[in-house]
Amino acid sequence: MAIAGRAIGAKKGIVYLRAEYRFLLPQLMKELDSFHKLMKDISFDFKINFCLGSGAYICGEESALFESVEGGRENA
């Protein structure tokens, strides 16, 4: 993601995490801290954030995924 971000000039990436995988968040956050330290060490301003969704969206469908990331109403 950081390589693609560098190629297009992005400063931020988003990882969508469905609710049933919330238990992975503590370990992912620890890894993310290491990643952000590495980005700082190489002077590349790129951050990754996690977006938690309820999992009700069909996340493979682009418009539904963006609506969920932007805080839209999810259909159960």
Side-chain angles (χ1 to χ4, degrees), residues 42-55:
I42 63 170
S43 300
F44 180 42
D45 182 24
F46 187 81
K47 301 284 186 202
I48 294 178
N49 295 321
F50 288 101
C51 176
L52 300 174
S54 71

Side-chain angles (χ1 to χ4, degrees), residues 16 57-70:
Y16 185 86
Y57 272 108
I58 301 170
C59 296
E61 202 278 310
E62 181 181 5
S63 61
L65 178 61
F66 279 114
E67 188 173 334
S68 179
V69 168
E70 293 171 349

Side-chain angles (χ1 to χ4, degrees), residues 23-36:
F23 70 94
L24 296 171
L25 198 54
Q27 182 63 33
L28 289 171
M29 293 303 289
K30 189 187 321 183
E31 296 298 329
L32 190 59
D33 288 341
S34 297
F35 170 79
H36 287 150

